[in-house]
Amino acid sequence: MLTTQDEIREILAENGRLAVPVTTLDDNADLFAAGLDSLAIVNVLMTLEERFEIELPDEMLQRRSFSSIATITSVVSDLVERAPNT
């Protein structure tokens, strides 16, 4: 079973349009330095929301929320924990 962080790495590999393989990045590496741009963020965001059945609130739609794999993992994990059980 994949961890949240593994799933986020998979999403970044598929949608992040990074200049380097996501497998070469440390969890705290700057994703923008690795090639993440605003268009890729939209694709990553949509995939995160679909995969984890969450919705990122407007206040989290900031560059810093997507700055690293660790940051994205933290944001997603927090939203998953706060999501109502259906």
Side-chain angles (χ1 to χ4, degrees):
M1 182 170 178
L2 294 176
T3 66
T4 299
Q5 198 164 53
D6 290 338
E7 289 190 70
I8 289 167
R9 284 181 170 277
E10 189 175 89
I11 290 167
L12 285 166
E14 294 169 1
N15 301 288
R17 300 169 21 154
L18 301 174
V20 297
V22 73
T23 55
T24 65
L25 297 174
D26 179 82
D27 293 339
N28 294 305
D30 181 345
L31 292 177
F32 297 102
L36 188 69
D37 61 22
S38 57
L39 179 59
I41 288 174
V42 172
N43 293 329
V44 169
L45 169 66
M46 291 173 39
T47 307
L48 288 170
E49 289 183 334
E50 183 179 314
R51 174 96 48 104
F52 293 100
E53 298 179 356
I54 58 172
E55 185 174 331
L56 267 73
D58 291 343
E59 65 268 13
M60 290 186 163
L61 298 178
Q62 301 176 26
R63 184 179 173 101
R64 69 175 177 232
S65 295
F66 296 90
S67 61
S68 69
I69 293 167
T71 303
I72 297 171
T73 302
S74 176
V75 167
V76 168
S77 296
D78 183 51
L79 290 172
V80 168
E81 285 179 22
R82 292 193 283 158
N85 294 332
T86 53

